[in-house]
Amino acid sequence: MTFPWLTFLGLLPIIGGLLLFLPMGKGAARILGLVFSVATLAVGVTVAVLHGTGADLSVAVPWIRAFGAWWALGVDGMGLAMILLTVVLTPLVLLAEWEPPAGRWSAQSFFALVLILEGLALFVFTSTDVLLFYLFFEATLIPTYFLIVGFGGERRGFAAIKFLLFSLAGGLIMLASVVGLFAVSASQGTPSYLIGDLAALRIDGDLGRWLMLGFLVAFIIKAPMVPLHTWLPDTAAQSTPGTATLLVGVLDKIGTFGMIRFCLGLFPEASVWVAPFMTVFAVISILWGALAAIGSTNMMRMVAYTSVSHFGFMVLGIYAFTTTSQTGSIFYMLNHGFSTAALFLIVGFLAKRRGSYDIDAYGGVQKVAPVAAGVLLLAGLSALSLPGMATFVSEFLVIAGSWTRNPVITVFALPGVVFAAVYVLAILYKRTMTGPVTEQSEKAFTGRDLTGIEKAVMVPIIAMLLFFGFVPQPAVSMVEPTAKATMEYVGVTDPAPVVKGAK
């Protein structure tokens, strides 16, 4: 029997988080939390290396035989990208929140909840049993809720409840489809929740469409897409920067991840049926999110709205049904995680000094804190997908792939690229960093540029964005097989290239 790497990967941070609830000093707790997060990073890298060598890391052990449920874990290129994103961001979040804002609980509790959340997220991205996925999907809500309500802003209670209600509503709708899958599999033989067994059933027609919609609604809320996105700005604005990073950078990827793994992977006919509607909703999300970001005066809300726009591009790529667009969407999931982390964390570092997330509370910061200003600029450039940044590659792949399938829809999405330049350069950077130094900025930032720990947090994130911007092939090669396999299963071929003059 081979070592159960994927089980160990998810359990390690959960064990670390539970240990942190034991009585211990504040310093010891923070060091222990960081050690467990770095150890999880090491295991994640080991999983990536083993996967690259062709090792079979899958686990399938009968769990609840009456339901056909299994303790089943596995990893493909898309899952591996999400694993690496999660294990890299978690220790950086812990460093960034080395001194969490004063809340209802201690820093020790913050570190514990983050580690538990990391482990649950890793199980979400590796589960190959539908019931197991659902249980971990719902379980991630618990530490997230307590991170918001325990360490958030003045309206943290409202934001936490809103987040929970939206998420639970989506989860309950998904549960109906999960139960429906059991009934379908039981009626056709031995009941099973294994994705491979369910995919072999090819559930088409009205039944497949209704079951698919149960999953899709939950993933639309999670992604989030307009009009079911309203929980995100409120939640992000009331969360700590580290919590917002994990929420938007990691957990919200479950939405797009689930669309590919479960909607397309279990209901190909229904997914093709819903694709025209999803591409329209994707364009609406792209434009609405960008315009809402332009109208935002709170930096945390602005970053949240930019993510609504970027998730629109990911969904557009998924439902354009080309290998190029789906590869771009999966790559975008990885890149957006680093990009949004850079934005949330640098905004948090700025607010720690100024005491406000209000854009109008700043001015001329680049003259007194040039390093912080430079990091904000780089993070912003990644958000607007500047060439040389990893986000440019993924966004270009989505647009190019979508264009070959539906150029009209793609044209309507393109203004989102222009709007991104407006909210990043003309609003976020110009109004906070340039111009004369205000009295408040001078007092808050003089002699208080980024610290060594803060630089240690931001350098790896910026480095990843630049590396995958100039050398995208390793990541593209990792996720492209998932896109090709999905296209083959759905039964949709790439559009034939149009050659001028051909009859």
Side-chain angles (χ1 to χ4, degrees):
M1 180 179 177
T2 58
F3 186 76
W5 284 104
L6 296 180
T7 302
F8 183 60
L9 176 67
L11 285 179
L12 182 61
I14 293 176
I15 292 171
L18 295 176
L19 288 176
L20 283 174
F21 284 115
L22 297 175
M24 65 181 72
K26 174 181 171 183
R30 293 189 300 190
I31 293 173
L32 183 63
L34 188 59
V35 167
F36 268 94
S37 68
V38 172
T40 305
L41 170 60
V43 176
V45 171
T46 302
V47 166
V49 172
L50 291 173
H51 181 269
T53 62
D56 183 9
L57 300 173
S58 61
V59 178
V61 179
W63 177 33
I64 308 175
R65 293 184 184 274
F67 293 163
W70 294 65
W71 177 265
L73 306 175
V75 63
D76 60 1
M78 177 174 65
L80 186 59
M82 295 299 95
I83 287 172
L84 293 175
L85 174 65
T86 305
V87 299
V88 169
L89 286 185
T90 301
L92 296 177
V93 165
L94 293 182
L95 276 176
E97 302 278 20
W98 199 248
E99 291 286 351
R104 299 181 182 180
W105 303 311
S106 65
Q108 180 176 341
S109 299
F110 182 89
F111 274 49
L113 290 168
V114 166
L115 286 177
I116 293 171
L117 180 58
E118 177 187 22
L120 295 174
L122 290 170
F123 279 132
V124 167
F125 293 129
T126 55
S127 294
T128 54
D129 177 278
V130 174
L131 183 60
L132 190 65
F133 168 85
Y134 173 78
L135 293 176
F136 284 123
F137 175 89
E138 293 288 75
T140 59
L141 304 182
I142 300 171
T144 307
Y145 171 82
F146 285 115
L147 282 169
I148 298 167
V149 80
F151 301 93
E154 293 181 357
R155 302 190 67 207
R156 57 196 175 197
F158 165 78
I161 289 296
K162 189 172 184 179
F163 158 78
L164 198 61
L165 290 177
F166 269 81
S167 300
L168 287 175
L172 287 174
I173 294 171
M174 187 200 298
L175 179 59
S177 290
V178 171
V179 174
L181 284 175
F182 169 78
V184 171
S185 66
S187 68
Q188 299 190 30
T190 304
S192 174
Y193 272 120
L194 288 174
I195 292 176
D197 292 344
L198 292 171
L201 299 179
R202 303 292 294 197
I203 309 168
D204 297 330
D206 289 341
L207 175 61
R209 293 177 182 182
W210 280 111
L211 292 177
M212 183 275 299
L213 286 174
F215 284 92
L216 185 59
V217 170
F219 297 144
I220 285 175
I221 293 173
K222 199 74 172 179
M225 294 182 67
V226 174
L228 301 178
H229 69 292
T230 58
W231 64 270
L232 180 61
D234 290 329
T235 303
Q238 296 302 316
S239 299
T240 70
T243 300
T245 294
L246 294 176
L247 176 64
V248 183
V250 176
L251 293 185
D252 283 358
K253 301 303 185 302
I254 297 172
T256 45
F257 176 91
M259 290 177 191
I260 297 173
R261 176 62 55 83
F262 296 96
C263 294
L264 275 61
L266 297 180
F267 313 101
E269 186 271 341
S271 295
V272 173
W273 165 75
V274 83
F277 302 97
M278 290 301 295
T279 53
V280 170
F281 281 125
V283 171
I284 293 172
S285 291
I286 290 169
L287 301 180
W288 185 281
L291 291 173
I294 290 173
S296 298
T297 58
N298 179 287
M299 289 190 285
M300 294 289 281
R301 292 182 70 89
M302 174 183 282
V303 177
Y305 277 122
T306 67
S307 294
V308 172
S309 182
H310 294 148
F311 272 104
F313 277 109
M314 296 177 217
V315 174
L316 176 64
I318 291 170
Y319 285 93
F321 283 121
T322 69
T323 303
T324 300
S325 68
Q326 289 208 6
T327 301
S329 291
I330 301 171
F331 191 26
Y332 212 145
M333 290 159 61
L334 176 66
N335 295 332
H336 177 263
F338 290 116
S339 176
T340 195
L343 280 170
F344 274 128
L345 294 180
I346 186 59
V347 165
F349 295 153
L350 294 172
K352 187 185 297 184
R353 291 157 171 78
R354 180 64 182 86
S356 174
Y357 289 115
D358 190 350
I359 292 175
D360 292 333
Y362 296 79
V365 174
Q366 68 178 10
K367 294 181 175 64
V368 286
V371 176
V375 170
L376 179 64
L377 179 60
L378 288 172
L381 293 177
S382 73
L384 64 83
S385 301
L386 184 80
M389 290 287 184
T391 44
F392 168 78
V393 180
S394 48
E395 194 167 285
F396 178 82
L397 289 173
V398 167
I399 292 172
S402 176
W403 181 274
T404 62
R405 178 71 66 188
N406 194 331
V408 175
I409 285 291
T410 310
V411 165
F412 281 104
L414 291 178
V417 179
V418 179
F419 294 154
V422 175
Y423 61 66
V424 169
L425 297 178
I427 298 177
L428 179 62
Y429 187 79
K430 182 179 179 181
R431 289 171 58 182
T432 60
M433 299 292 115
T434 65
V437 183
T438 64
E439 181 180 349
Q440 294 85 352
S441 292
E442 186 171 12
K443 181 179 179 180
F445 290 97
T446 299
R448 299 183 66 199
D449 210 334
L450 295 189
T451 65
I453 290 180
E454 291 168 342
K455 292 175 184 176
V457 170
M458 300 307 304
V459 166
I461 299 175
I462 299 298
M464 296 293 283
L465 290 167
L466 291 172
F467 175 77
F468 287 128
F470 286 96
V471 191
Q473 193 55 43
V476 171
S477 299
M478 178 175 64
V479 303
E480 190 176 33
T482 300
K484 289 182 176 179
T486 302
M487 288 285 292
E488 182 177 352
Y489 179 76
V490 173
V492 179
T493 57
D494 289 319
V498 177
V499 181
K500 288 186 177 182
K503 296 183 179 180

